[in-house]
Amino acid sequence: SNYLKRNKSLIVDLFQGQIKNTCQCKKCGYKNIRFEAFMYLSLPVDDSSKSLEDCLEDYLRVEDLVGDDQWYCTKCKAHVDATKKIDL
């Protein structure tokens, strides 16, 4: 990819990752998939978090986008209920 050609370094090789961000419309089923580079993750931590794996599971859990958080579906041309899933 062009990103790696422009940003090739030992730091990128060792510390950078990539997120796959998938949003899916609950009305028509359309999926939008985006890939984003990251150098660090802000993981959710709460009282139920017992380990790093717990925090990662919570971060990677499917999120429902409803109400004020609705997603704009380009197929429906409207804000709709949707799901958001992050994968590493």
Side-chain angles (χ1 to χ4, degrees):
S1 86
N2 285 337
Y3 179 83
L4 286 178
K5 287 178 188 172
R6 289 190 314 266
N7 296 292
K8 183 72 173 154
S9 73
L10 179 62
I11 299 298
V12 168
D13 289 347
L14 291 176
F15 297 107
Q16 186 167 292
Q18 190 174 57
I19 290 174
K20 177 184 174 189
N21 189 344
T22 305
C23 289
Q24 183 170 13
C25 177
K26 287 187 174 183
K27 186 175 178 182
C28 73
Y30 172 72
K31 281 186 185 179
N32 178 278
I33 299 172
R34 286 191 348 252
F35 293 90
E36 300 174 39
F38 70 89
M39 294 289 280
Y40 60 89
L41 294 173
S42 296
L43 299 177
V45 178
D46 60 26
D47 292 336
S48 67
S49 302
K50 303 276 190 259
S51 66
L52 177 59
E53 288 81 14
D54 290 344
C55 297
L56 278 169
E57 277 181 25
D58 196 26
Y59 181 76
L60 299 173
R61 185 171 287 125
V62 175
E63 179 182 353
D64 285 318
L65 303 176
V66 297
D68 289 340
D69 294 327
Q70 282 186 322
W71 177 64
Y72 185 80
C73 177
T74 56
K75 290 261 187 187
C76 296
K77 299 194 184 325
H79 285 90
V80 296
D81 290 348
T83 58
K84 177 181 175 182
K85 175 74 172 104
I86 295 174
D87 294 295
L88 298 177

